[in-house]
Amino acid sequence: MSHDPDTLTSPEAVVPALTQAIGQILRRLRAEANPDGLNLSQTAALALLDTKGGMTNADLARAQAMKPQSMSPILASLEQEGLVERGPHPTDGRQILFSLTAKGAEARRKRSIAKHDWLLAAVGKLSPDERQILLSAAGIIRDLTAS
C-alpha cells in the first residue's frame, strides 16, 4: 500500500475510517445509555413520541420504515413497561394514539444524561490538542450533513 499523503487522505480512504469511527461511537453511546435494556426500535419509538407527541401505530411504523404489524409488539412491550400509554385519537375514534408516560419521559431523560456523562468523561480524558481536533472534526461533520 502506498503511503503517499494524497492516497491516505483520499475520499476512498477517509470514508471507511469515518464510517467505522461513527459506528463505534454510536454503539458505545447506546451501550452506555441503556440502563433499561431497551432495543433500538423501542428507543426510537420513545424518541419519536417524545419529540412529536402522540402517534398512531401506523405513524410510528412509517417513521421507522417498518410495517405496523412489526410496530405492534414494540408498543406492547413499551406499554407493559409503563413507558407509553394508549389514548383516544382526537378525530378518528377507530384509531389509538400512543404517547409517552411520565415514566417514559423520565427514561428518555436518564438516557440523555447517561450519554452526555459518558461522552463528557471520555472527552475529558483527551489532551487539549486532541479536544481541539475533535471540535474541528465536529464542525466538519456538521457541514457534511448540511450539504
Side-chain angles (χ1 to χ4, degrees):
M1 179 172 175
S2 171
H3 291 289
D4 175 16
D6 289 340
T7 303
L8 294 174
T9 60
S10 71
E12 291 79 11
V14 172
V15 167
L18 183 60
T19 302
Q20 181 182 19
I22 289 171
Q24 286 174 323
I25 198 164
L26 289 174
R27 282 187 295 278
R28 185 65 189 264
L29 282 169
R30 277 188 219 117
E32 293 294 331
N34 198 8
D36 41 21
L38 298 177
N39 66 37
L40 190 56
S41 295
Q42 292 168 317
T43 302
L46 288 179
L48 282 165
L49 292 172
D50 192 25
T51 57
K52 296 185 183 282
M55 297 175 75
T56 65
N57 179 13
D59 291 336
L60 283 160
R62 208 173 4 265
Q64 290 195 52
M66 63 173 56
K67 295 182 180 189
Q69 298 88 333
S70 300
M71 181 56 67
S72 293
I74 294 166
L75 289 169
S77 67
L78 292 172
E79 188 175 23
Q80 186 175 3
E81 293 294 320
L83 301 174
V84 302
E85 62 189 358
R86 296 169 185 248
H89 192 283
T91 60
D92 185 348
R94 299 167 296 166
Q95 294 196 55
I96 296 170
L97 278 187
F98 288 87
S99 58
L100 221 50
T101 62
K103 183 178 176 182
E106 179 64 11
R108 289 269 305 142
R109 190 185 71 73
K110 284 181 180 176
R111 291 174 72 83
S112 181
I113 289 169
K115 286 179 187 180
H116 178 269
D117 288 351
W118 174 79
L119 196 51
L120 187 64
V123 170
K125 294 175 185 173
L126 300 175
S127 71
D129 287 346
E130 289 170 322
R131 287 195 297 268
Q132 182 58 53
I133 291 167
L134 193 56
L135 185 60
S136 296
I140 293 168
I141 292 168
R142 195 172 34 256
D143 291 348
L144 276 175
T145 61
S147 64

